[in-house]
Amino acid sequence: MAAEWAGLDAKTRAALDGSGGLSPEQADHMIENVVGLHALPLGVAVNFVVNGREVLVPMAIEEPSVVAGASFMAKLARAGGGFVAHTTEPQMIGQMQILDVADPASARLALLEKKAHILDLANQIDPVIVKFGGGARDLEVRVMAQSPIGPFLVAHLIYDTRDAMGANAVNTACETLAPTIEQITGGRVHLRILSNLADRRLARARCVIPVSALEFGRDDPASRLYGGETVRDRIIEAYAFAAVDPYRAATHNKGIMNGVDAVVIATGNDWRAIEAGAHSYAARSGTYTSLSQWGKDAEGNLVGSLEMPMAVGIVGGATKVHPTAQAALKLMGVTNARELAEIIVSVGLAQNLAALRALATEGIQRGHMTLHARQVAIAAGAVGEQIEAVAGKLVAEKKVRVDRAEEILKGSA
Ligand code: NAD
């Protein structure tokens, strides 16, 4: 149904439904010592409206509840007009560590005096990126006055990577510039590598949820009923916990990353880079805190926002060679990396709301365990119709454990 909706061709559908996708031969060209493939479930989150556009969101993830949670929260956000998202220019930071400089302060100024020349050199390295409107934008230089090895300089090359994640482009630029930097400073360029704290490449999303959409439990006789205003206030209280406590913020942000990573992986992007960027950004004040904010507006609606680095691409790396990643991009109908980042940050916000809403009402386990019980049943050896039957019994007994599932299967209870 999702494939029909997005008007996908047969090859693209095959890449999504598991009958096509990455071949062992293709995988063999991607990494070393390949022995096979490792599959993940691919789900499609529904109900998403991002900047007024309907979008189906592919999510590759092994954890139950995430795709359902994102879809349901997108439905609530839809009642308030969907997600409004935007991104900054796709600027990455390339770092060069400059050692053995006699006078760091004057070496810094010497580099800044030659900025135009250095940027010009950087722009000769990747004519393709420059052709697409990207390239070197700025050079910043800092003196690290105190370090375990004494003072040294750090130069940041600010580089617009357009539709590429950009690690290779930026690393190549830094390596190529190094001899020139050494000449200008009289020092020795040691590390030349991009920073994953991509705080020049931010994605932001916000949503407004009408209180009427927040009522909880009316359709479920087993649940307590929570009014919309109560749910809103409890969500804001839950957010406040993450805002001030790193122990809570870590789990709060993990919930955001449940949504973010699933789309990042589905599109063949580097989820370690996104994780590193997210958590370093969350700690940028010196104290690790929540990446999102929740509050209420003048009309009493719940309002949420999320801002985080989002270094994702739609060209280069695995995004280009992995057939499922290509199909995932087609399903979403994205035409540039910024659009992809805007969808991903919206999914992160939706996922955050799903966790907060569950935690702020009946707790996370009831809904989660129902889905988890299926995995436990499968782990115990259930097949076909047995899976739902065993899972249902585990939940009813509140004993979602493999040993109990095995007993049920053996018919011993
Ligand atoms: P890449 O080098 O494969 O592709 C990018 C290139 O595509 C550009 O340099 C450009 O020449 C070309 N291109 C074509 N159309 C373009 C367009 N519209 N916009 C921009 N460029 C266009 O990939 P990359 O994005 O530079 O690097 C990503 C890879 O680097 C990922 O696989 C990542 O895992 C890996 N990596 C990451 C790190 C890190 O995060 N610290 C370090 C090293 C490598």
Side-chain angles (χ1 to χ4, degrees), residues 95-410:
Q95 297 197 291
M96 288 166 279
Q97 180 191 22
I98 310 161
L99 303 173
D100 306 337
V101 174
D103 179 22
S106 55
R108 174 175 173 269
L109 295 195
L111 278 176
L112 293 176
E113 282 157 26
K114 297 275 187 206
K115 186 194 283 193
H117 171 63
I118 294 167
L119 298 186
D120 194 40
L121 269 181
N123 276 333
Q124 291 169 28
I125 300 165
D126 192 330
V128 181
I129 280 200
V130 172
K131 188 185 90 188
F132 282 106
R137 293 286 187 261
D138 203 0
L139 185 80
E140 293 172 347
V141 190
R142 290 177 297 151
V143 177
M144 309 309 258
Q146 282 179 338
S147 88
I149 54 159
F152 61 85
L153 276 180
V154 177
H156 278 188
L157 175 69
I158 312 298
Y159 194 100
D160 184 322
T161 64
R162 294 285 97 191
D163 291 325
M165 182 270 184
N168 288 322
V170 169
N171 294 343
T172 306
C174 289
E175 291 192 3
T176 312
L177 290 179
T180 306
I181 303 281
E182 289 183 340
Q183 220 175 26
I184 296 168
T185 58
R188 170 171 63 94
V189 175
H190 188 38
L191 301 196
R192 300 147 295 168
I193 178 86
L194 104 159
S195 169
N196 287 115
L197 176 49
D199 61 0
R200 302 293 198 100
R201 194 176 190 175
L202 298 174
R204 304 179 178 116
R206 61 188 173 85
C207 64
V208 177
I209 318 278
V211 162
S212 57
L214 282 170
E215 192 191 63
F216 185 96
R218 187 169 295 279
D219 303 333
D220 182 356
S223 171
R224 226 182 97 185
L225 187 69
Y226 297 85
E229 286 186 2
T230 305
V231 175
R232 176 200 63 200
D233 294 344
R234 284 171 156 246
I235 287 172
I236 297 169
E237 289 164 359
Y239 150 68
F241 187 3
V244 297
D245 177 27
Y247 287 91
R248 173 61 206 143
T251 322
H252 177 96
N253 291 340
K254 190 274 181 185
I256 293 172
M257 301 313 286
N258 274 344
V260 167
D261 284 339
V263 191
V264 169
I265 292 169
T267 56
N269 273 288
D270 184 340
W271 53 271
R272 286 86 53 209
I274 299 298
E275 284 281 339
H279 298 294
S280 51
Y281 194 66
R284 69 195 181 284
S285 69
T287 305
Y288 186 89
T289 185
S290 166
L291 284 165
S292 65
Q293 282 86 37
W294 292 92
K296 61 179 175 182
D297 66 11
E299 284 82 53
N301 301 310
L302 177 70
V303 287
S305 60
L306 171 62
E307 176 186 273
M308 60 185 292
M310 194 58 72
V312 289
I314 61 165
V315 298
T319 58
K320 199 74 193 167
V321 295
H322 197 306
T324 309
Q326 285 286 300
L329 291 172
K330 272 195 195 151
L331 180 71
M332 281 185 281
V334 294
T335 55
N336 59 63
R338 292 176 71 171
E339 240 174 54
L340 174 60
E342 285 161 6
I343 293 171
I344 295 174
V345 73
S346 300
V347 178
L349 186 58
Q351 203 59 52
N352 185 212
L353 179 60
L356 288 178
R357 180 175 170 276
L359 286 167
T361 53
E362 63 179 1
I364 208 94
Q365 281 308 73
R366 202 164 75 94
H368 189 72
M369 283 320 248
T370 309
L371 292 161
H372 178 59
R374 286 192 212 144
Q375 282 188 353
V376 171
I378 294 167
V383 289
E385 287 173 4
Q386 284 176 331
I387 298 170
E388 287 303 322
V390 173
K393 203 156 186 194
L394 293 174
V395 172
E397 291 177 357
K398 293 197 169 77
K399 284 184 191 163
V400 186
R401 296 194 320 262
V402 176
D403 60 327
R404 179 64 192 134
E406 284 168 350
E407 277 174 18
I408 295 169
L409 278 170
K410 278 187 205 138

